[in-house]
Amino acid sequence: QVQLAESGGGLVQAGGSLRLSCAASGRTFSSYPMGWFRQAPGKEREFVAGISWSGGNSYYVDSVKGRFTVFRGIAKNTVYLQMNSLRPEDTAVYYCAADKNYYSDYVPTTTDEYDYWGQGTQVTVSS
């Protein structure tokens, strides 16, 4: 069983930066592709960024390309989302998720491809 816990959210002004962390328990976590999603009030949960188990492949939604970076820690038991040049439209609850497809270099982009989810962390960007 894998349990995920996000941290690093908060309130930031437009143009600012935040780094979200997703820490996982479970010895197999480092073998899973990981993703970040977000959900704004009244909207569906949407894919933001994802990374393969090795860290060799990553994928981003167009709206965050060039501003957000997803990467794994050295020990691969933590995944990060570095968010720069934040905009008010980035305001949402951010969730990390794990796909229990061992050693896959494919990066899932839909919610139903992920098996484990964290509780989320709030990111609020003021204008």
Side-chain angles (χ1 to χ4, degrees):
Q1 184 71 14
V2 173
Q3 292 185 325
L4 306 176
E6 305 93 338
S7 61
L11 173 64
V12 64
Q13 289 187 330
S17 298
L18 284 174
R19 177 177 292 185
L20 305 184
S21 301
C22 175
S25 61
R27 59 184 176 87
T28 56
F29 168 79
S30 61
S31 306
Y32 294 162
M34 298 293 298
W36 286 96
F37 289 74
R38 65 187 178 188
Q39 188 166 17
K43 295 188 177 181
E44 292 187 352
R45 191 169 298 188
E46 67 166 348
F47 173 81
V48 176
I51 190 165
S52 62
W53 80 274
S54 67
N57 289 335
S58 58
Y59 190 78
Y60 301 89
V61 68
D62 286 347
S63 60
V64 308
K65 284 181 181 177
R67 300 189 298 123
F68 291 11
T69 303
V70 59
F71 59 100
R72 306 187 82 119
I74 293 175
K76 295 187 178 179
N77 61 347
T78 304
V79 174
Y80 302 93
L81 184 67
Q82 178 67 43
M83 306 187 295
N84 298 329
S85 302
L86 283 161
R87 305 168 181 169
E89 54 264 38
D90 295 318
T91 295
V93 177
Y94 283 71
Y95 300 89
C96 68
D99 167 24
K100 59 178 182 180
N101 191 5
Y102 288 96
Y103 304 121
S104 173
D105 279 325
Y106 168 70
V107 180
T109 61
T110 63
T111 55
D112 58 4
E113 293 179 282
Y114 286 88
D115 302 287
Y116 304 105
W117 292 85
Q119 293 299 307
T121 185
Q122 176 71 46
V123 171
T124 303
V125 184
S126 63
S127 58

